[in-house]
Amino acid sequence: MTTDGTLLSRTRDRLRDHPLAFDTGLAFLVLVAMVIASFTDPHGSPDGPTFGDRSPSATAVVVMLVGAAALVFRRRQPIPVLVFTATVSLVALVGAERPAPVAMAAVVALYTVASRTDRPTTWRLGLATMGVLTGAAMLYGPTPWYAQENLGVFAWTGMAAAAGDAVRSRRAFVDAIRERAERAERTREEEARRRVAEERLRIARDLHDVVAHHIALVNVQAGVAAHVMDKRPDQAKEALAHVRTASRSALDELRATVGLLRQSGDPEAPTEPVSGLAVLDDLLGTFRNAGLPVELARTDGRTPLPAAVDLAAYRIIQEALTNVRKHAGPEARAEVSVVRVGRTVEITVLDDGPPAPAPAEADGGGHGLVGMRERVTALGGTLTAAPRYGGGFRVQAILPVTGCTGEDEA
């Protein structure tokens, strides 16, 4: 059965690829059927039709040949072919004592029109063809108007129109299903590309936050060590120890971030954010060790936050303090506050450095503020980053809190 189905499918594909050859073969088969029918007398004997008791005239053969030949062009010009075959059939019905069965060609042509045009056109041409050919057979045929042959013309033309319309409807239905499937496939591909782009952006943002923070601390501590190496070697050793700690932390966070790219089946792949407000004190300690005085005020009761909000808050504080250390000057001080207000958490980072442009501008187009804004926007929050009146800079992020563990504040 599988072999037969494959052969049938291949044959169908070949016929579809060569429509002219198929129509030529169909025209030949219709001609053969008309010739055989012309030798058949439906009333040849009391027992039924007989074959060979009559033969078609030369004119009838020419008419049948012309009607069948027109079917070769049925796909290219369906309506003209229908008009031509119907006219030839009408001539055969009116002008011959024993008309040749040329109506077979008109039936095939009507089916083609119904399958390749719209329904109103099928109704108009189908009714016209049925009425003209059936009326001619009843009025000019050699048999009484109620004879079976006359009613057969009506039945065959009606079935041809109905079958063609059904094929057209099924083809339109299949095309609609195929179009929906293709549209759905395109939508899935676009969604996959969008998710890949978002994931790449998230990874780039995490890597920037980790690298920028720790490299800035390493740079500061290395500068301190180089400055005091000769006069105060103990302080230089302490600065180098901080360099080592910062570099180790950078490597750990980079390893954890890159680990997120592992296969989901890898048991060593991390499943939780690498940082959060639970280790905020450690983060602030690294900045204090780098020479940046930082004060912390928390009124959130250290209530656990959703993972995405917790990580975003940590990264915002980390990036804001990194910008303070890089741009606010050696004498700057910073203040960090974490405040829970209803179903939001407010993260504020202030510094008292001299008036200066925004860190992103001072960086010559860096990605610090851009990354913070992307994080906040992804969570549906708002971010404000602007110089303070009288000097310094202020970064404030308001993040919505949903699905927290613990009770929300009123």
Side-chain angles (χ1 to χ4, degrees):
M1 181 177 296
T2 303
T3 304
D4 294 342
T6 303
L7 181 60
L8 181 61
S9 177
R10 291 179 179 176
T11 304
R12 188 186 304 113
D13 293 339
R14 291 177 181 176
L15 293 177
R16 188 182 297 112
D17 295 337
H18 302 85
L20 183 60
F22 175 79
D23 291 341
T24 302
L26 177 63
F28 177 75
L29 293 178
V30 172
L31 176 62
V32 171
M34 288 190 295
V35 171
I36 293 175
S38 64
F39 282 93
T40 303
D41 186 358
H43 305 287
S45 68
D47 297 332
T50 58
F51 180 79
D53 291 345
R54 66 174 186 174
S55 61
S57 63
T59 302
V61 172
V62 172
V63 170
M64 289 186 291
L65 183 62
V66 171
L71 296 179
V72 176
F73 308 98
R74 68 187 186 96
R75 295 177 193 260
R76 300 178 183 178
Q77 301 290 335
I79 295 179
V81 169
L82 173 62
V83 174
F84 180 80
T85 54
T87 302
V88 172
S89 301
L90 182 62
V91 171
L93 289 172
V94 173
E97 180 180 355
R98 288 193 175 185
V102 192
M104 291 185 183
V107 168
V108 175
L110 180 57
Y111 165 83
T112 303
V113 169
S115 64
R116 304 184 73 85
T117 61
D118 53 76
R119 182 164 294 172
T121 301
T122 299
W123 274 97
R124 289 193 298 267
L125 295 179
L127 290 176
T129 303
M130 291 167 59
V132 170
L133 295 184
T134 304
M138 289 181 175
L139 294 176
Y140 299 100
T143 58
W145 66 269
Y146 53 83
Q148 182 178 359
E149 295 93 319
N150 302 333
L151 297 179
V153 173
F154 178 83
W156 280 106
T157 52
M159 286 189 296
D165 184 72
V167 170
R168 180 194 57 78
S169 299
R170 182 182 180 278
R171 187 183 297 126
F173 177 72
V174 172
D175 292 341
I177 293 178
R178 184 180 296 109
E179 181 182 359
R180 285 197 296 269
E182 293 175 353
R183 190 184 306 117
E185 183 65 24
R186 289 194 300 269
T187 302
R188 284 194 296 269
E189 292 177 356
E190 293 173 357
E191 178 67 15
R193 286 194 295 267
R194 184 187 65 82
R195 291 184 178 182
V196 169
E198 291 181 352
E199 186 64 13
R200 291 177 61 185
L201 180 61
R202 185 191 66 80
I203 294 171
R205 192 164 53 232
D206 287 342
L207 291 176
H208 170 270
D209 291 344
V210 172
V211 173
H213 165 63
H214 290 290
I215 294 302
L217 297 183
V218 168
N219 181 58
V220 170
Q221 296 291 355
V224 171
H227 182 69
V228 302
M229 180 66 70
D230 297 331
K231 297 180 180 180
R232 287 174 288 181
D234 293 339
Q235 187 176 354
K237 290 181 180 180
E238 183 180 355
L240 292 176
H242 291 313
V243 168
R244 182 179 180 183
T245 301
S247 61
R248 185 188 304 113
S249 299
L251 290 175
D252 291 341
E253 290 200 40
L254 284 174
R255 186 180 300 110
T257 302
V258 174
L260 295 175
L261 302 178
R262 297 177 180 175
Q263 297 180 358
S264 59
D266 190 344
E268 296 182 5
T271 58
E272 298 294 337
V274 297
S275 304
L277 295 182
V279 293
L280 180 58
D281 293 334
D282 296 336
L283 174 67
L284 300 185
T286 61
F287 283 102
R288 295 188 183 106
N289 293 333
L292 175 63
V294 183
E295 296 182 4
L296 173 63
R298 296 188 66 169
T299 62
D300 62 335
R302 299 183 181 269
T303 304
L305 299 174
V309 178
D310 193 27
L311 179 60
Y314 178 89
R315 292 301 189 195
I316 290 170
I317 295 173
Q318 182 186 57
E319 181 62 28
L321 291 177
T322 300
N323 288 335
V324 173
R325 191 66 188 87
K326 292 167 60 177
H327 306 295
E331 304 299 328
R333 303 175 62 87
E335 298 178 5
V336 177
S337 65
V338 181
V339 180
R340 185 72 176 277
V341 180
R343 299 188 64 81
T344 63
V345 58
E346 296 183 5
I347 308 298
T348 306
V349 179
L350 307 174
D351 70 80
D352 58 358
E361 297 173 355
D363 267 341
H367 301 283
L369 287 180
V370 175
M372 285 192 286
R373 198 174 302 279
E374 289 173 348
R375 288 184 182 277
V376 173
T377 302
L379 296 174
T382 58
L383 177 73
T384 303
R388 299 172 63 193
Y389 179 77
F393 203 80
R394 177 175 180 268
V395 175
Q396 183 182 46
I398 302 177
L399 305 176
V401 180
T402 56
C404 288
T405 57
E407 297 181 357
D408 293 339
E409 297 180 6

